[in-house]
């Protein structure tokens, strides 16, 4: 599918960068500002849904999930409290009692009720991390979502395995977590097929629509990421196969124009959209598959070309967020700094992060309140700002706890 085209992305989806030199006090001050606003908004009730999330509501468990619910907000606030000494959210057991009640009253949407980001497994993991609770519920829910046959990272194994890998780091002595991770990897690898782009992929069932999807949010990259990241838990033959599949995916599905690169949401699709964001496009490919490029120059060069496109495209008009906004693109460029040790990428990541903070403030002025969510809102921007200051890669709630 490799091609050369001047139409790698839609400039109408992006806006000019607000130029501002990086200052740690501004970045961390912005992160504190977001945290304190969220703490105040959630003092007496669970955080209200933002109009920008309501517009996308398809019956998701908006009250509790990691993606744009209370569990993600609480997890981000706890992480920020440890990193920059902001207050923790109220009394954690009381908070999660309220989350459990809301979760029971408004269960997640039916295609994947145990999904890591939008369903029960991520909520259970957040409760365990923040309330030092039992891992039994986490194991049960995560096993359920790993068995989901969709092969979509959001609804199935990909994000759950990545989150599970994070829990293994927190509980290295719990062999049950390791065994579940290994069985999930084996299950997914057994389902690989020869895709339309001369590489192995998963035929993803995304809400009943079968597609050969590519990216980190809904495609093969998101399923491969935990396998690459968890290489120390897998045998040599499995690691060799995962690395081969990842490198072939990067090369076979890339869209090229000179020194720029992007990746489509899906292969063999009539959809000509070529977004540049975490869930679809170059930023997600970079974040998911950087480990496949560490000792392979060809893959590394393609990811760098994707980073150059991400930078040239500029901030996303859609907003500041991790999933489909400017903060997610900043985290991708931060990942390239981790890959290359080139300060250029750290500087670019920081400049995008500051623009995301500008977008948070601008949207707050327009709506009259903050957007209290992790993957789709202000808390993701706050974590991104701290990560850019610390030069720490990952996404809180997925591969960073």
């Amino acid at each position: 599918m490799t091609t050369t085209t001047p139409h790698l992305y839609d400039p109408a989806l992006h806006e000019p960068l607000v130029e501002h030199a990086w200052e740690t006090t501004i970045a961390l001050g912005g992160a504190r500002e977001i945290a304190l606003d969220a703490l105040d908004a959630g003092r007496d009730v669970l955080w209200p849904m933002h109009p920008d999330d309501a517009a996308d509501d398809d019956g998701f468990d908006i009250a509790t999930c990691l993606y744009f619910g209370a569990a993600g907000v609480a997890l981000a606030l706890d992480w920020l409290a440890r990193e920059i000494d902001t207050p923790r959210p109220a009394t954690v057991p009381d908070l999660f009692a309220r989350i459990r009640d809301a979760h029971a009253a408004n269960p997640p949407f039916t295609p994947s009720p145990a999904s890591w980001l939008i369903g029960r497994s991520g909520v259970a993991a957040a409760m365990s991390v923040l309330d030092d609770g039992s891992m039994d519920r986490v194991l049960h829910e995560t096993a359920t979502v790993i068995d989901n046959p969709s092969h979509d990272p959001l609804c199935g194994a990909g994000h759950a395995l990545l989150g599970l890998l994070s829990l293994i780091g927190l509980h290295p002595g719990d062999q049950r977590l390791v065994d579940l991770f290994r069985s999930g990897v084996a299950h997914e690898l057994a389902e690989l097929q020869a895709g339309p782009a001369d590489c192995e992929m998963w035929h993803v069932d995304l809400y009943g629509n079968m597609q050969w999807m590519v990216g980190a949010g809904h495609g093969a990259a998101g399923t491969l990421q935990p396998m690459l990241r968890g290489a120390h838990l897998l045998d040599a033959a499995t690691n060799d196969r995962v690395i081969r599949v990842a490198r072939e995916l990067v090369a076979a599905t890339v869209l090229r124009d000179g020194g720029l690169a992007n990746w489509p949401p899906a292969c063999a699709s009539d959809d000509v959209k070529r977004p540049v964001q975490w869930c679809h496009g170059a930023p997600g490919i970079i974040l998911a598959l950087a480990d496949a490029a560490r000792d392979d120059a060809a893959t590394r060069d393609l990811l760098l070309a994707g980073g150059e496109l991400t930078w040239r495209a500029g901030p996303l008009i859609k907003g500041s967020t991790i999933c489909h906004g400017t903060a997610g693109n900043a985290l991708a460029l931060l990942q390239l700094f981790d890959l290359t040790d080139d300060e250029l990428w750290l500087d670019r990541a920081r400049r995008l992060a500051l623009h995301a903070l500008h977008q948070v403030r601008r949207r707050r002025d327009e709506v009259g309140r903050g957007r209290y969510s992790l993957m789709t809102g202000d808390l993701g921007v706050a974590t991104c700002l701290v990560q850019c200051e610390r030069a720490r890669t990952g996404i809180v709630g997925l591969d960073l706890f």
Side-chain angles (χ1 to χ4, degrees), residues 66-377:
L66 283 179
Y67 184 74
F68 56 3
V73 176
L75 195 65
L77 287 172
D78 182 77
W79 188 86
L80 290 166
R82 286 183 275 118
E83 291 293 325
I84 58 175
D85 200 30
T86 52
R88 295 187 80 212
T91 303
V92 169
D94 174 66
L95 172 65
F96 274 100
R98 287 186 277 148
I99 289 177
R100 279 191 294 269
D101 291 344
H103 188 83
N106 180 29
F109 79 125
T110 53
S112 185
S115 160
W116 186 266
L117 282 179
I118 57 177
R120 295 190 303 258
S121 57
V123 173
M127 289 180 180
S128 175
V129 169
L130 298 183
D131 199 17
D132 196 25
S134 168
M135 293 299 298
D136 292 342
R137 185 179 177 216
V138 181
L139 287 161
H140 170 74
E141 299 291 1
T142 307
T144 300
V145 72
I146 284 175
D147 286 339
N148 185 299
S150 71
H151 305 301
D152 171 45
L154 180 69
C155 295
H159 296 159
L161 287 173
L162 192 57
L164 190 63
L165 193 60
S166 299
L167 294 180
I168 290 170
L170 296 176
H171 304 277
D174 195 331
Q175 188 62 34
R176 299 173 301 169
L177 296 171
V178 175
D179 291 343
L180 182 58
F181 177 80
R182 288 172 174 162
S183 67
V185 170
H187 172 75
E188 287 301 297
L189 289 178
E191 297 294 318
L192 275 168
Q193 302 179 51
D198 297 323
C199 66
E200 290 184 286
M201 300 177 68
W202 289 275
H203 207 197
V204 173
D205 181 354
L206 183 61
Y207 315 139
N209 185 14
M210 299 298 297
Q211 299 181 67
W212 296 99
M213 304 200 76
V214 178
H218 294 290
T223 300
L224 287 165
Q225 182 178 5
M227 302 180 190
L228 292 165
R229 195 68 53 83
H232 59 290
L233 300 174
L234 305 173
D235 61 70
T238 299
N239 282 328
D240 288 346
R241 186 182 184 197
V242 168
I243 290 173
R244 175 181 58 78
V245 171
R247 290 173 178 170
E248 289 177 356
L249 177 76
V250 171
T253 61
V254 69
L255 305 167
R256 293 296 306 271
D257 180 23
L260 306 177
N262 199 8
W263 285 262
C267 302
S269 171
D270 294 332
D271 188 351
V272 296
K273 294 180 181 178
R274 291 168 185 170
V276 185
Q277 55 198 45
W278 172 75
C279 52
H280 297 299
I285 297 294
I286 293 165
L287 279 163
L289 303 182
D291 287 326
R294 296 197 181 276
D295 57 355
D296 184 71
T299 305
R300 180 177 177 272
D301 288 346
L302 288 175
L303 295 190
L304 290 173
E308 191 62 40
L309 177 80
T310 300
W311 173 249
R312 291 197 193 183
L316 284 139
I317 285 177
K318 194 168 185 178
S320 61
T321 71
I322 289 177
C323 183
H324 34 251
T326 304
N329 290 12
L331 292 175
L333 301 191
L334 186 63
Q335 185 68 62
L336 290 179
F337 170 65
D338 179 77
L339 178 65
T340 64
D341 287 327
D342 186 341
E343 296 277 346
L344 171 70
W345 296 111
L346 178 60
D347 175 68
R348 288 176 167 181
R350 287 173 166 176
R351 290 163 72 184
L352 283 182
L354 286 178
H355 187 96
L357 176 60
H358 164 77
Q359 290 177 307
V360 166
R361 290 168 171 165
R362 183 176 68 196
R363 190 61 177 150
R364 186 192 302 149
D365 289 343
E366 292 169 352
V367 177
R369 48 154 291 192
R371 190 175 182 180
Y372 309 116
S373 58
L374 173 56
M375 293 296 292
T376 69

